[in-house]
Amino acid sequence: MAALVWPFQGKAWAAELRGERSAADPMLSLWEEWKAAALKTETLCRKQQRLETQLVQDVGFPRARLRLSDNGEKVTVFSHDAIEDIYGSDPKMATLRAEAEAELAAHQALWDAADEMIGYAAARREEEEAGDREQDLVDALPATPATSLAGIASKLDVVLHEGESWEECTEFPWPHIRSALRDLVRVGQAVEPDVFMPGSDRQAPFPRKHQEGCWVRVSKGPAASLG
């Protein structure tokens, strides 16, 4: 996987200007908080994905192999609900159901032990908390006034990062918002060339949460499969 390029990393030359402007414009203050929260969420997302991949490789998703009495075929399931759906409450299936429940519980215990050792669940909780904080800041954006061109640009910068379905999305209104941000940055830099404009340091498109699926969780493993 290619290294993520965040448009606001490595910009120490603009930090002082941003700090001065943030004190005067409440939207720039919010943008600074959001920027830090978004980077933290992305970092923790990568961490929990790496740990989940390790768990799947080492232990595998908790599962059980069910025997279907009518034709001898077997099916792999990943939840107690799936076992119930297949075997139901038929007394004739009680033994098979108990065997499947025990197999699933044993595999879940292996997963939980490995999880505790590497810290996957804790990393997932951290990511969810960071994501909640990021979302709180996004939710505060409409009610936060911008008192400068840089503040207005920061609103568009946040909207582009949080809203586009994929990088350089061609669907309305994303090309129009990107165009408006570029225009605003150009005008702002012409009017106040010494002022940092959010969005002016975008050297590559934002990585998209939607594309990477960081908020899509697998809670019960894959769907049941025959074989």
Side-chain angles (χ1 to χ4, degrees):
M1 181 182 294
L4 293 174
V5 180
W6 280 79
F8 38 67
Q9 283 182 298
K11 298 298 180 181
W13 58 270
E16 184 175 351
L17 283 175
R18 289 202 298 262
E20 292 174 357
R21 291 289 170 175
S22 295
D25 190 327
M27 185 55 222
L28 285 178
S29 296
L30 179 68
W31 179 75
E32 287 284 353
E33 290 186 68
W34 164 80
K35 180 182 65 174
L39 182 58
K40 182 177 181 180
T41 301
E42 185 72 18
T43 300
L44 290 172
C45 172
R46 301 302 171 207
K47 178 181 178 181
Q48 73 87 9
Q49 286 181 331
R50 175 178 56 79
L51 293 175
E52 182 178 60
T53 298
Q54 182 179 339
L55 271 178
V56 172
Q57 291 175 343
D58 293 348
V59 179
F61 285 111
R63 62 186 180 273
R65 295 272 289 165
L66 277 60
R67 286 183 290 152
L68 305 180
S69 60
D70 54 347
N71 56 15
E73 194 172 24
K74 290 187 176 182
V75 60
T76 300
V77 299
F78 300 87
S79 72
H80 293 284
D81 288 343
I83 295 174
E84 183 66 25
D85 289 342
I86 292 174
Y87 286 150
S89 57
D90 186 348
K92 295 179 181 179
M93 299 291 183
T95 299
L96 293 177
R97 186 170 57 250
E99 290 175 354
E101 293 281 2
E103 182 181 350
L104 181 61
H107 203 163
Q108 182 67 56
L110 290 175
W111 174 281
D112 291 344
D115 179 355
E116 185 174 357
M117 183 176 299
I118 68 174
Y120 165 69
R124 182 170 167 176
R125 285 193 299 272
E126 283 186 282
E127 185 214 345
E128 290 172 349
E129 291 171 0
D132 288 344
R133 174 57 180 162
E134 180 183 349
Q135 187 59 53
D136 287 344
L137 293 167
V138 173
D139 292 343
L141 185 149
T144 303
T147 60
S148 66
L149 292 177
I152 297 172
S154 72
K155 283 193 173 187
L156 297 178
D157 200 42
V158 174
V159 169
L160 280 171
H161 175 71
E162 297 288 339
E164 278 189 286
S165 298
W166 60 84
E167 294 177 4
E168 300 301 308
C169 177
T170 58
E171 295 179 358
F172 180 85
W174 305 113
H176 308 74
I177 295 177
R178 288 195 300 270
S179 176
L181 178 57
R182 287 193 296 268
D183 291 343
L184 186 58
V185 167
R186 186 179 66 255
V187 171
Q189 290 176 330
V191 173
E192 296 182 286
D194 62 335
V195 173
F196 174 78
M197 295 288 293
S200 64
D201 55 349
R202 293 184 67 181
Q203 297 178 0
F206 276 122
R208 302 291 173 220
K209 292 186 299 186
H210 304 266
Q211 183 186 44
E212 297 296 338
C214 287
W215 64 44
V216 178
R217 311 280 197 265
V218 180
S219 58
K220 293 183 179 179
S225 59
L226 293 172

